[in-house]
């Protein structure tokens, strides 16, 4: 599997250091509010479990699973909930935890859906983002890394359901992806 990686973009130790920083920031900001972390399956399980262990205040978690309508509605951001929240979030302080926010379409739809349920507050924590691709403005309070314009895998991010378990974020070899990417700068 590691032979399929052309380049490591963000090493595992940098990811772990950033995840700890995010956990400390959340612990500080939500000190007396017992937040509910809502993760979007499946890619989130890696980041969620690491950031949870960096949070030092009482916190609960819940999970949703979505699927994008495809192919003709792929870019509308409309998603279907395959698994909804277990908990009622009315009056709760919700933090939506995402692995990667790109266009913001998926997250925008999720936020719209969750806001209807009247949480006391809702914020977003994403480990990776590409602000340069944003179509829908989404309020991201905590952000780990900005990614360049190339497709990456690892630490939860997949290519056809593979490579999620890599401890780093890397770029696939051109033969695997079917396209050549130039991915040398971090922004
Ligand atoms: P968007 O913000 O609605 O455009 O969608 C972001 C989602 O697209 C992420 O949660 C990923 O599932 C997927 N995605 C976008 N870019 C990448 C990538 O480089 N590698 C793996 N998945 C990606
Ligand atoms: Mg995803």
């Amino acid at each position: 599997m590691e032979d399929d990686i052309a380049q490591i973009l963000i090493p595992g130790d940098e990811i772990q250091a950033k995840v700890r920083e995010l956990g400390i920031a959340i612990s500080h900001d939500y000190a007396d509010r017992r937040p509910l972390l809502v993760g979007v399956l499946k890619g989130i399980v890696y980041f969620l479990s690491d950031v949870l262990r960096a949070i030092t205040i009482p916190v609960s978690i819940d999970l949703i699973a979505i699927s994008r309508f495809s192919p003709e509605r792929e870019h509308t951001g409309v998603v279907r909930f395959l698994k909804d929240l277990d908990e009622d979030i009315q009056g709760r302080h919700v933090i939506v935890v995402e692995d990667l926010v790109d266009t913001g379409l998926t997250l925008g739809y999720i936020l719209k859906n969750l806001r209807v349920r009247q949480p006391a507050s809702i914020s977003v924590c994403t480990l990776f983002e590409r602000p340069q691709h944003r179509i829908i403005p989404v309020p991201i309070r905590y952000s780990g890394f900005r990614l360049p314009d190339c497709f990456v895998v690892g630490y939860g991010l997949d290519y056809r359901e593979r490579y999620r378990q890599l401890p780093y974020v890397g770029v696939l070899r051109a033969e695997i992806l079917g396209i050549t990417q130039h991915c040398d700068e971090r922004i």
Side-chain angles (χ1 to χ4, degrees):
M1 181 180 60
E2 307 228 5
D3 295 346
D4 295 351
I5 303 297
Q7 179 195 351
I8 294 179
L9 209 59
I10 312 176
D13 54 353
E14 275 187 44
I15 295 177
Q16 291 302 330
K18 185 68 80 177
V19 170
R20 276 195 297 277
E21 266 178 40
L22 294 171
I24 290 166
I26 290 172
S27 307
H28 176 263
D29 297 346
Y30 285 82
D32 42 19
R33 284 190 285 170
R34 198 175 192 285
L36 176 70
L37 267 54
V38 172
V40 186
L41 290 170
K42 299 178 264 198
I44 203 60
V45 298
Y46 307 83
F47 175 40
L48 183 64
S49 65
D50 283 344
V51 79
L52 258 180
R53 283 173 287 184
I55 294 177
T56 54
I57 57 165
V59 62
S60 353
I61 64 159
D62 205 341
L63 294 163
I64 58 175
I66 55 165
S67 90
R68 291 185 190 85
F69 286 104
S70 59
E72 67 280 4
R73 292 170 75 185
E74 198 174 18
H75 299 296
T76 61
V78 176
V79 296
R80 190 158 59 94
F81 278 65
L82 299 175
K83 182 211 169 296
D84 205 340
L85 294 169
D86 294 335
E87 303 202 27
D88 179 5
I89 59 170
Q90 187 172 15
R92 300 292 307 272
H93 293 282
V94 172
I95 306 175
V96 178
V97 187
E98 261 283 32
D99 47 5
L100 168 52
V101 180
D102 194 63
T103 61
L105 284 167
T106 314
L107 180 60
Y109 185 85
I110 292 168
L111 289 175
K112 207 162 91 184
N113 183 294
L114 297 184
R115 281 198 184 105
V116 174
R117 309 177 195 195
Q118 301 179 310
S121 69
I122 189 158
S123 70
V124 175
C125 173
T126 188
L127 185 55
F128 306 110
E129 65 163 324
R130 289 193 191 94
Q132 69 275 29
H133 285 184
R134 201 63 37 80
I135 293 174
I136 302 285
V138 278
I140 297 180
R141 180 156 180 190
Y142 307 96
S143 170
F145 298 95
R146 294 180 164 210
L147 295 176
D149 291 338
C150 59
F151 189 86
V152 296
V153 294
Y155 201 74
L157 301 173
D158 72 300
Y159 173 60
R160 298 183 174 166
E161 293 300 327
R162 293 183 60 199
Y163 309 105
R164 290 190 196 273
Q165 80 268 39
L166 293 172
Y168 50 77
V169 164
V171 184
L172 285 170
R173 293 208 336 260
E175 310 88 274
I176 310 278
L177 207 54
I179 51 162
T180 307
Q181 305 193 99
H182 298 286
C183 195
D184 35 27
E185 81 250 49
R186 198 180 307 169
I187 59 164

